[in-house]
Amino acid sequence: MISLAVATLAAGPLRSGSDTFVTGSHQLEVTYDIKQAVPDESIISLGDEKDLKQVDCDNDGSMVRLTFNDEQAAADFVNRSKQGDGPDGVFLTADAAHGCPMGNGQQQYIMRRIIDAFAIGECAQVRTASCQYGELIREGNISLASRRGDHPAHVCLGVNVADPSSCNSAAKPFPVFEKDELTLTCDSCFAGCQTEVFADVHLALGSATKVSGGFRNMLVNAAVDMDVKATEKKIFHCSGQGDFPHGAACA
């Protein structure tokens, strides 16, 4: 979540805001209030590049290929990548929407230091190196929490839960006891706990000085619905003619 906040930098020395992303069936929100360690001119955020058409990266992200709408846009990017105002040069950042494509169809955040860049037609080839978030963030607070929106606000933790989004119904019946003619089945038995996931990080001097997280605002749902079935067992049967017991055969 620190990378997500870093990817939104380059909008002022004091950056506050929020962003959301989806994991599984849940929507999570990151809120941040951070102070940059470098001037605006030293951070290039790909989300702000209006003429950027495509981002490609090699396996480790050390080489980033940026395709622009025209040659002039590619040349302008290369020029800005070499005009950093700080002693540490220029940094390249991107959120997931503008990051490096991954093999699973998703995109990865970018937080790299630019080593060199050159333009080839409409493309800018950018050679980068890894960097630490402390090089970009001087101090601040970053929080992560599940939230309401198009997706459920809570994570469902439970046993035999049918719908994780509601966490309030049983998935299927299951047998509890069965012996001879007696059967005991739990028709609608479940236990579910809806809980909000959260994490808070405080940064100072390039390090995380305080980290906390866990679950809060928990709501527990549970039900027990038992079904008992007993079948009749035939003890003995007699058949025949005449008066009992002489004219009958019993089994």
Side-chain angles (χ1 to χ4, degrees):
M1 71 178 183
I2 294 176
S3 297
L4 178 61
V6 169
T8 62
L9 288 173
L14 182 61
R15 178 66 166 157
S16 299
S18 63
D19 202 351
T20 59
F21 62 96
V22 176
T23 173
S25 60
H26 303 285
Q27 186 173 4
L28 303 178
E29 180 179 39
V30 174
T31 59
Y32 46 88
D33 183 8
I34 54 181
K35 187 174 183 180
Q36 294 176 192
V38 295
D40 293 350
E41 294 78 8
S42 295
I43 300 177
I44 297 178
S45 175
L46 293 184
D48 297 332
E49 297 297 315
K50 306 300 183 184
D51 294 316
L52 181 63
K53 291 198 305 184
Q54 184 174 329
V55 178
D56 296 291
C57 308
D58 61 2
N59 291 335
D60 62 358
S62 61
M63 184 64 74
V64 181
R65 177 186 174 92
L66 306 176
T67 303
F68 291 88
N69 289 327
D70 52 56
E71 296 183 6
Q72 186 60 50
D76 289 344
F77 177 89
V78 170
N79 185 50
R80 284 183 285 116
S81 73
K82 300 178 180 181
Q83 294 181 355
D85 219 7
D88 296 323
V90 179
F91 297 88
L92 182 68
T93 70
D95 58 12
H98 305 88
C100 293
M102 301 174 64
N104 57 7
Q106 298 181 342
Q107 291 173 279
Q108 189 177 36
Y109 299 104
I110 296 177
M111 186 181 71
R112 311 281 296 182
R113 181 197 303 274
I114 296 178
I115 302 301
D116 191 17
F118 56 93
I120 303 178
E122 299 176 352
C123 296
Q125 297 278 9
V126 187
R127 188 164 60 93
T128 69
S130 62
C131 65
Q132 302 297 320
Y133 64 85
E135 298 179 58
L136 295 173
I137 300 177
R138 179 172 300 166
E139 60 181 335
N141 297 288
I142 304 174
S143 298
L144 169 71
S146 52
R147 56 160 290 177
R148 294 194 180 276
D150 295 334
H151 297 266
H154 293 87
V155 175
C156 177
L157 306 175
V159 178
N160 198 38
V161 175
D163 184 5
S165 64
S166 60
C167 207
N168 62 0
S169 60
K172 60 182 179 179
F174 57 88
V176 177
F177 177 81
E178 183 175 358
K179 183 175 177 63
D180 297 331
E181 283 69 39
L182 181 64
T183 301
L184 180 62
T185 304
C186 199
D187 279 350
S188 181
C189 296
F190 76 96
C193 176
Q194 284 183 298
T195 179
E196 180 184 352
V197 178
F198 78 96
D200 296 315
V201 178
H202 177 71
L203 305 171
L205 301 177
S207 299
T209 59
K210 182 180 179 181
V211 179
S212 61
F215 305 104
R216 63 190 177 197
N217 299 330
M218 303 179 74
L219 175 64
V220 178
N221 295 309
V224 177
D225 185 2
M226 308 295 291
D227 180 52
V228 180
K229 292 183 180 180
T231 58
E232 181 182 357
K233 181 177 181 180
K234 197 173 292 184
I235 306 301
F236 63 88
H237 174 72
C238 294
S239 64
Q241 297 179 349
D243 297 332
F244 290 102
H246 303 291
C250 297

